[in-house]
Amino acid sequence: MERPMKKFVMTSSLALLLSLPVFAANPMVGGEPMLPTKDIVDNAVNSKDHTTLVAAVKAAGLVDTLKSKGPFTVFAPTNEAFAALPAGTVDTLLKPENKSKLTSILTYHVISGSYDSAAIIAAIKKGGGKHSATTVAGGKLVATMEGKDLILTDEKGGKSKVTIADVYQSNGVIHVVDKVLLPK
């Protein structure tokens, strides 16, 4: 009789363990842990590599939107990506009179829904090597693969590589990119 009881206890424990939510370990971003229990904004403010993006999100008035339920997929340019823009561009965009243009650029980096790299790559394969996605700004981004690299091409032909994929958030997923994407 004792044997079946032990088996039942082990089986129940296993069932309990398997029923718990599983979070994939998020990669570190900007030298800091990205917690899947935090939202996009709360994680981004902890990344030393995204201080320009955070300043831009605040200047554009998008904090509340990116803290909302979502879900969102955000292609997050690094400080280096912003620094690669022509001299003075970021300072000009951060001025209050350029809020609409800044908002347009930032929302061009956001897609409604939560799409990890596996989903994007599956869409690329299904699309015969490319997948076009509509951004929150209403523009198009085209995702392709170059070798093992996930590449996004903007409407002006600029290319950005996903350097850190699948940073899960409570309201979506972030993919770190190495260039700022620009709408038409």
Side-chain angles (χ1 to χ4, degrees):
M1 281 289 203
E2 190 175 330
R3 198 172 215 174
M5 184 61 139
K6 283 183 178 179
K7 194 172 193 177
F8 174 75
V9 170
M10 289 191 333
T11 304
S12 294
S13 297
L14 181 60
L16 177 63
L17 181 64
L18 293 175
S19 70
L20 295 174
V22 177
F23 291 107
N26 267 345
M28 300 277 282
V29 177
E32 297 297 325
M34 298 288 113
L35 304 176
T37 56
K38 289 187 172 185
D39 63 49
I40 290 166
V41 174
D42 289 344
N43 271 321
V45 298
N46 289 327
S47 169
K48 293 176 186 83
D49 291 342
H50 290 90
T51 56
T52 305
L53 177 61
V54 169
V57 166
K58 288 177 180 177
L62 293 173
V63 171
D64 289 342
T65 301
L66 293 175
K67 288 182 76 57
S68 72
K69 185 177 178 180
F72 303 106
T73 300
V74 176
F75 299 102
T78 61
N79 294 341
E80 287 182 5
F82 280 103
L85 293 171
T89 301
V90 173
D91 291 335
T92 300
L93 287 172
L94 292 176
K95 292 180 180 179
E97 61 268 23
N98 293 320
K99 183 177 178 179
S100 64
K101 185 169 184 173
L102 177 62
T103 300
S104 175
I105 291 170
L106 293 175
T107 57
Y108 189 69
H109 289 80
V110 181
I111 297 172
S112 291
S114 184
Y115 301 99
D116 64 10
S117 62
I120 296 169
I121 292 168
I124 292 168
K125 288 179 181 177
K126 185 177 178 181
K130 68 180 178 179
H131 174 69
S132 180
T134 302
T135 69
V136 171
K140 297 284 186 190
L141 286 176
V142 176
T144 57
M145 296 296 297
E146 289 183 8
K148 293 184 179 191
D149 294 329
L150 178 55
I151 304 295
L152 300 168
T153 303
D154 64 28
E155 293 172 328
K156 293 187 173 191
K159 291 186 176 189
S160 186
K161 179 171 78 171
V162 173
T163 57
I164 302 174
D166 303 334
V167 186
Y168 297 99
Q169 318 291 299
S170 64
N171 61 345
V173 62
I174 289 176
H175 303 287
V176 177
V177 294
D178 67 351
K179 299 280 188 271
V180 175
L181 298 157
L182 298 172
K184 280 185 182 176

